[in-house]
Amino acid sequence: QVQLVESGGGVGQPGRSLRLSCAASGFSFSDYAMNWVRQAPGKGLEWVAVVSHDGSNTHYGDSVKGRFTISRDNSKNTLYLQMNSLRAEDTAVYYCAKDSDYFGNYNFDSWGQGTLVIVSS
Amino acid sequence: DIQMTQSPSSLSASVGDRVTIACRASQNIRSYLNWYQQKPGKAPKFLINVASSLQSGVPSRFNGSGSGTDFTLTINSLQPEDFATYYCQQSSGTPPTFGQGTTVEIK
């Protein structure tokens, strides 16, 4: 079955960087778009970014545009989120979520367990 | 961006009750509406897409309806495992956006 395992979370200082990874298994990774969705403590869900099945197309939420970069390595079945210029408001659990389509139709049909990012000095 | 508004924000119900959660979009999203269930400390689970299509393995007591701007999630005969937070999400355009969530609590 589909398995998504995030890693790379932890404490990051404001203005610094972190890189999250999501290891995928149980499906043909290169056939599906992938997303990052985050959830601040005690809050709702916020979509962060999507990358198409081949990595050629990406889209970002306004709150992270210009600071975060989503990418993937299909040879390693791994999704990434490079987070630069961290802000306190980036503190959240970050989930990778499989899309149901090549290019991203925003049907998040499988989710990882999440990795917690805390931005604090 | 398309705004999604759920009501109520929380509700209390008993096992066996019928529960209805509303979701309203700020513009016409046709049937591009998904529902997710999230339990404390867990990832969301995909329940329903295109407003009314149950995902594989989701019990038939869950029912989604609506189109355009107004949508409803109904849980018939609430079970103990249904106590959770439910989110609607529009997949009509970028960025995809979620409602603020509705928490179903035990009365």
Side-chain angles (χ1 to χ4, degrees):
Chain A
Q1 75 279 20
V2 174
Q3 189 168 12
L4 300 169
V5 179
E6 301 95 336
S7 61
V11 179
Q13 292 185 326
R16 303 298 291 268
S17 300
L18 280 176
R19 188 174 87 154
L20 307 183
S21 300
C22 172
S25 61
F27 67 104
S28 181
F29 182 71
S30 60
D31 284 346
Y32 296 93
M34 295 294 295
N35 298 263
W36 288 98
V37 177
R38 69 184 182 183
Q39 186 170 36
K43 303 297 185 182
L45 300 166
E46 179 189 16
W47 173 80
V48 173
V50 63
V51 60
S52 61
H53 72 108
D54 59 358
S56 62
N57 284 284
T58 58
H59 295 283
Y60 298 90
D62 285 345
S63 60
V64 306
K65 200 173 296 182
R67 299 187 300 121
F68 290 9
T69 302
I70 189 172
S71 64
R72 64 192 296 159
D73 185 336
N74 286 345
S75 69
K76 296 181 179 179
N77 287 353
T78 302
L79 174 71
Y80 302 101
L81 185 68
Q82 178 67 41
M83 309 166 64
N84 297 334
S85 302
L86 286 167
R87 303 170 179 169
E89 55 265 36
D90 296 322
T91 295
V93 174
Y94 284 74
Y95 295 102
C96 67
K98 173 184 169 291
D99 210 293
S100 63
D101 183 72
Y102 277 13
F103 289 102
N105 60 6
Y106 304 129
N107 295 323
F108 308 128
D109 61 13
S110 296
W111 298 63
Q113 85 288 351
T115 188
L116 176 61
V117 171
I118 298 173
V119 181
S120 174
S121 55
Chain B
D1 297 1
I2 299 172
Q3 306 303 314
M4 306 300 295
T5 304
Q6 290 181 234
S7 61
S9 295
S10 64
L11 63 91
S12 295
S14 300
V15 172
D17 284 353
R18 181 181 182 184
V19 165
T20 298
I21 299 169
C23 177
R24 173 164 288 179
S26 61
Q27 64 189 69
N28 186 352
I29 59 170
R30 292 176 285 175
S31 294
Y32 293 110
L33 191 283
N34 300 325
W35 290 98
Y36 300 85
Q37 176 194 65
Q38 186 178 34
K39 297 182 179 179
K42 300 295 186 182
K45 175 185 176 182
F46 192 28
L47 292 181
I48 290 171
N49 80 317
V50 288
S52 61
S53 178
L54 257 63
Q55 294 304 289
S56 174
V58 175
S60 59
R61 63 181 178 272
F62 288 90
N63 181 65
S65 63
S67 66
T69 60
D70 291 299
F71 301 86
T72 299
L73 173 67
T74 300
I75 311 172
N76 295 297
S77 188
L78 199 66
Q79 297 301 298
E81 60 268 29
D82 301 335
F83 292 95
T85 299
Y86 294 85
Y87 293 93
C88 63
Q89 173 244 325
Q90 64 82 13
S91 58
S92 174
T94 303
T97 46
F98 293 86
Q100 80 278 17
T102 296
T103 300
V104 177
E105 299 170 325
I106 302 173
K107 182 183 284 185

